[in-house]
Amino acid sequence: MSQTYDCSISGAQSDAAERARGINTAASAVEDGRLVVLPTDTLYGIGCDAFNPDAVRKLLAAKGRGPDMPVPVLVGSWDTIAGLVQFYTPQAQTLVRACWPGGLSIVMPQAPSLPWDLGNTYGSVMLRMPAHPVAIELLQKTGPMAVSSANISGQPPATTCQEAKDQLGESVAVYLDGGTCAQRTPSTIIDLTDRQPKILREGAVPAEHLSEILGVEL
């Protein structure tokens, strides 16, 4: 049976204790290969241990989609990225410093030795550090997590915990309720796998802002 924890940030001691219990329970679930739902600054996400292929398959099954749509990876610190990519380029470093934590996902060539199976990534990985304290605290306990939007494929993305529960139900072990997402729009995706950066999806971070940061036309 799924467990739900109120992880709102109100400052009350009782709320802080409930939040800590929720995050610890979710971290244990991730370690055991189960699925959790967590709040981010953009949308709610369904996540698992990025290095557990069975858990990633469960995630894809819960969403009703196949490996042709690979799962992004969320990280809890800037430092983590260097161990996950083949080349941590100056462009990537500039974007990370300017936009993380926040609503920018960056696609880069992955480190070739990583023992994970996120789907048909063709040697790349999409990374993001979310700007939400609950997500960051969980990620700092679990390490990198494979996280996709918390909805059935083709259905509206969840901006509240209840919306995620209505779609995903008992396929998820732990739901962390952090209230309504601040952005309520998907992250912007930028592809750095080629010499010329390319916007794959414009979302929370405007393309013109990224052009200013990188000094190139996107």
Side-chain angles (χ1 to χ4, degrees):
M1 184 175 178
S2 299
Q3 297 173 278
T4 302
Y5 293 87
D6 182 357
C7 293
S8 352
I9 311 293
S10 70
Q13 186 172 356
S14 59
D15 291 345
E18 172 80 354
R19 186 166 66 252
R21 281 194 297 272
I23 291 171
N24 288 334
T25 304
S28 296
V30 170
E31 185 178 1
D32 291 342
R34 293 178 289 161
L35 305 180
V36 303
V37 159
L38 62 153
T40 79
D41 47 322
T42 55
L43 302 169
Y44 270 79
I46 176 173
C48 66
D49 180 357
F51 297 100
N52 185 328
D54 288 336
V56 174
R57 283 191 284 272
K58 289 178 190 174
L59 188 158
L60 291 171
K63 284 181 62 72
R65 77 184 202 194
D68 54 309
M69 298 178 68
V71 185
V73 173
L74 296 189
V75 298
S77 73
W78 286 8
D79 297 335
T80 308
I81 189 174
L84 302 179
V85 299
Q86 188 171 13
F87 307 109
Y88 192 17
T89 63
Q91 281 186 332
Q93 293 175 43
T94 298
L95 288 172
V96 164
R97 286 194 296 267
C99 300
W100 281 13
L104 179 67
S105 296
I106 307 174
V107 180
M108 287 178 282
Q110 69 174 41
S113 60
L114 288 176
W116 61 19
D117 182 2
L118 302 169
N120 301 334
T121 63
Y122 302 102
S124 66
V125 62
M126 186 192 304
L127 298 170
R128 184 165 87 91
M129 181 180 176
H132 195 291
V134 172
I136 291 297
E137 191 171 343
L138 177 61
L139 288 161
Q140 288 176 347
K141 288 180 178 293
T142 62
M145 287 180 62
V147 179
S148 184
S149 57
N151 60 291
I152 301 295
S153 187
Q155 297 299 311
T159 60
T160 67
C161 186
Q162 188 59 53
E163 290 174 357
K165 289 174 72 174
D166 289 343
Q167 295 195 51
L168 299 170
E170 295 297 318
S171 64
V172 171
V174 179
Y175 288 88
L176 300 181
D177 188 346
T180 302
C181 296
Q183 295 272 3
R184 287 183 277 185
T185 189
S187 65
T188 295
I189 302 174
I190 188 169
D191 186 346
L192 298 184
T193 59
D194 209 344
R195 285 189 176 183
Q196 174 63 32
K198 182 168 65 174
I199 299 288
L200 301 183
R201 179 182 73 196
E202 187 167 8
V205 180
E208 62 182 56
H209 181 52
L210 298 178
S211 290
E212 291 172 3
I213 292 169
L214 294 175
V216 298
E217 187 70 30
L218 295 173

